[in-house]
Amino acid sequence: MSTTTANRQRAATLDIDRPGSHRQHEVLRLLPTPLLIFVLVFLGVLVLTPVLYIFLASVNSDIGVANGEFWPSTVTFENYSKIWTSVGLATGLTNSVLVAGATAVVSAAMSISTAFVLVRYSFRGRLTILRGLLALQSVPGTLMVLPVFVLFSSASTYLGIQVIGTQWGLFVTYLTFAMPFSTWVMVTYLRGLPKELEEAARIDGASHLGVLFRIILPLSWPGIVVSGIFAFLLGWNDVLFASVMTRPESQTAAVALQIFGASQEGGAIPYYGQMMAAALVCAAPVVILYLIFQRYLVGGLTAGGVK
């Protein structure tokens, strides 16, 4: 009888220790199942209620929104067709996709190579660079607007290069702030990758670039996606630098929304429906981006998914 009980306890212990087992999830769960369901439902309602209100307001009339209607009395999708002319959203979205997309791609490509050198090689100034990456994250963007504007104005005056008002000037600005964060994300991720794979590749005769492109790069896609998405969001959501560094033909979607919202102040009834519709259209690319790369985001945020 005691032997049977011991075998059962041993089997239960092995089942708990097995990675990914149902028993292991039950042991690691902090809340009981009913309370966990209640918390998840509450958080879901808390997050989705404002989104639902924005959508309902976008298909409602301006008078209905002004009267405080949650459910629209008359449903119309005219607001989604008017925003392309009244808000100037087509030009803004095009500029945002080009600038933020280029920032994400270049920042992710440069951060993986920079992080590889900082993590795998020892040289003078390495710790200073790593500490500098952290220090740059604490500098508020408002302190950098004037220096960046003066620097780019000087380039136009002394070098004859037009930077302010161009898409590539805004791209350089975003890349300056995205690179430190993306590099630090990749440094954290690469520290979790086993060095034995690189050592085996070097024994087989792989060069430094061969190790980077054949070993590190295939294993680092989750971290690369995370750093790229955060760099994309930096350019997509920015209003401060985009409002200073752009012209009407190069302004981003965030600036277009800001200008449209400011133009409604002091009017009889603001165009609530068009504002809500434009906000949803601007948020849609980010949501789609998360849905496409969500499986990479989980592995990238855990910093080292290979053991």
Side-chain angles (χ1 to χ4, degrees):
M1 184 69 176
S2 60
T3 304
T4 304
T5 303
N7 291 335
R8 290 178 179 176
Q9 293 177 352
R10 189 179 300 107
T13 303
L14 293 175
D15 183 60
I16 292 176
D17 294 337
R18 187 183 304 117
S21 63
H22 179 69
R23 293 289 299 276
Q24 185 185 41
H25 289 299
E26 291 181 351
V27 172
L28 296 177
R29 181 178 296 170
L30 299 178
L31 299 177
T33 301
L35 183 58
L36 180 63
I37 294 175
F38 172 78
V39 171
L40 292 177
V41 172
F42 175 76
L43 293 177
V45 172
L46 192 66
V47 172
L48 294 179
T49 299
V51 179
L52 177 62
Y53 175 77
I54 293 175
F55 171 74
L56 294 177
S58 67
V59 296
N60 197 359
S61 62
D62 298 328
I63 298 178
V65 178
N67 290 332
E69 295 180 358
F70 186 83
W71 298 101
S73 55
T74 57
V75 177
T76 175
F77 290 92
E78 293 182 356
N79 295 321
Y80 287 92
S81 60
K82 293 179 179 179
I83 57 177
W84 304 105
T85 56
S86 59
V87 184
L89 206 57
T91 303
L93 286 176
T94 302
N95 293 327
S96 292
V97 170
L98 292 176
V99 175
T103 303
V105 173
V106 175
S107 177
M110 294 178 64
S111 63
I112 178 64
S113 57
T114 306
F116 176 69
V117 174
L118 293 174
V119 172
R120 293 296 188 250
Y121 297 95
S122 298
F123 52 90
R124 182 176 298 179
R126 173 176 171 271
L127 292 178
T128 304
I129 295 175
L130 290 174
R131 292 166 183 169
L133 293 176
L134 287 178
L136 288 174
Q137 306 303 316
S138 60
V139 179
T142 52
L143 295 180
M144 301 301 295
V145 173
L146 183 59
V148 170
F149 183 82
V150 172
L151 178 63
F152 287 171
S153 298
S154 301
S156 176
T157 303
Y158 296 105
L159 302 178
I161 302 175
Q162 183 64 35
V163 181
I164 298 177
T166 61
Q167 293 177 345
W168 72 271
L170 193 60
F171 159 73
V172 173
T173 304
Y174 291 157
L175 188 63
T176 303
F177 296 97
M179 270 296 298
F181 180 80
S182 298
T183 303
W184 186 254
V185 169
M186 293 309 305
V187 165
T188 307
Y189 187 85
L190 292 184
R191 283 175 175 173
L193 297 181
K195 296 182 180 179
E196 292 77 11
L197 296 175
E198 302 175 29
E199 296 173 355
R202 295 186 188 280
I203 293 175
D204 293 337
S207 62
H208 297 291
L209 291 178
V211 172
L212 176 61
F213 287 105
R214 297 181 181 179
I215 304 298
I216 299 299
L217 188 61
L219 296 177
S220 303
W221 277 114
I224 294 173
V225 170
V226 169
S227 62
I229 287 180
F230 276 100
F232 181 86
L233 291 178
L234 173 67
W236 189 268
N237 296 327
D238 174 70
V239 178
L240 179 63
F241 288 92
S243 59
V244 176
M245 303 293 296
T246 59
R247 296 176 178 177
E249 62 273 9
S250 60
Q251 66 184 12
T252 60
V255 177
L257 282 178
Q258 182 195 38
I259 295 175
F260 181 73
S263 64
Q264 305 304 310
E265 297 179 0
I269 298 180
Y271 296 126
Y272 292 114
Q274 296 184 38
M275 294 174 61
M276 299 300 180
L280 285 180
V281 171
C282 290
V286 178
V287 175
I288 295 173
L289 195 66
Y290 271 103
L291 293 177
I292 294 175
F293 295 106
Q294 60 178 341
R295 67 188 186 96
Y296 292 103
L297 288 172
V298 175
L301 292 175
T302 54
V306 180
K307 300 296 181 184

